[in-house]
Amino acid sequence: MQPAPQTLGRRERNKQEKLDRITAAARELFTQYGVDEVTTQQVAEKADVGAGTLFLYAKTKAELLLLVHNVKYAQALDAGIEAASTEKSLLDAVMAIILPIIECNRVQIENGRTYLREIVFGDPSEPHHAEALSLTIRTEAAIAEIFSRDERLLARDPEKLARIVTSIMFISMTSSANIGHTDAQVGDEIRDQISVLLGA
């Protein structure tokens, strides 16, 4: 009865190794060439897996992009939440969460814009899309928690305010008008809009 768990463990390890190779290959190709110029076949070849195997992990190129960017978004969000815990003003705390997300999303601007569009318009039944949505929910929850520290904002529904903030963030990062802007300029634009929202 003992060997069965070892066999299952080996299978799971093999699956994880393939997923890691696919993720690394997609990240490298998307960063180098942009998501629009890369095919799923190229990702499969670089990851040294068959096209059918790749399909088991991500059914479309959009799902591959979500797979890659979800990891970066999660890391940026964790860093932002940690940084926010040391900020005294509400606006500074919210921006501490947002700034790492801006930076990770604009490493390759077109990939970042495509990623955000996929979150908004993609198929929520796809697992990587569902994970991306859960990251946006975590972002909103972290911002709402900051707003909840202010009694004045408690009366205005912190959750709804947080959703407005993430909408501002997404629009600013996907806007064609901001493609030539630096990360700091995009951050300043978002900060100005949040300031108006909060009446700060």
Side-chain angles (χ1 to χ4, degrees), residues 27-104:
R27 182 187 302 114
E28 183 178 335
L29 290 170
F30 290 162
T31 300
Q32 186 172 359
Y33 301 108
V35 67
D36 291 339
E37 302 302 318
V38 175
T39 66
T40 54
Q41 184 59 43
Q42 288 171 316
V43 174
E45 289 172 3
K46 188 160 190 66
D48 194 26
V49 299
T53 299
L54 178 69
F55 184 78
L56 295 174
Y57 293 88
K59 294 181 180 178
T60 65
K61 189 164 64 171
E63 278 289 297
L64 270 177
L65 180 64
L66 287 164
L67 169 66
V68 169
H69 270 263
N70 284 345
V71 174
K72 293 165 57 179
Y73 189 144
Q75 291 168 344
L77 179 57
D78 289 342
I81 291 171
E82 183 176 344
S85 67
T86 64
E87 295 291 347
K88 290 190 170 48
S89 90
L90 293 183
L91 188 52
D92 287 344
V94 170
M95 289 310 299
I97 291 173
I98 291 173
L99 289 173
I101 296 171
I102 293 172
E103 290 167 6
C104 88

Side-chain angles (χ1 to χ4, degrees), residues 74-147:
Q75 291 168 344
L77 179 57
D78 289 342
I81 291 171
E82 183 176 344
S85 67
T86 64
E87 295 291 347
K88 290 190 170 48
S89 90
L90 293 183
L91 188 52
D92 287 344
V94 170
M95 289 310 299
I97 291 173
I98 291 173
L99 289 173
I101 296 171
I102 293 172
E103 290 167 6
C104 88
N105 192 66
R106 288 171 55 85
V107 170
Q108 214 285 2
I109 291 175
E110 284 307 318
N111 289 352
R113 294 175 75 216
T114 302
Y115 172 70
L116 295 175
R117 283 195 299 269
E118 281 300 319
I119 291 177
V120 175
F121 300 111
D123 181 355
S125 69
E126 294 290 348
H128 303 304
H129 186 273
E131 184 181 349
L133 289 176
S134 75
L135 288 169
T136 64
I137 291 168
R138 275 189 62 209
T139 305
E140 289 175 9
I143 293 170
E145 189 278 326
I146 292 169
F147 289 158

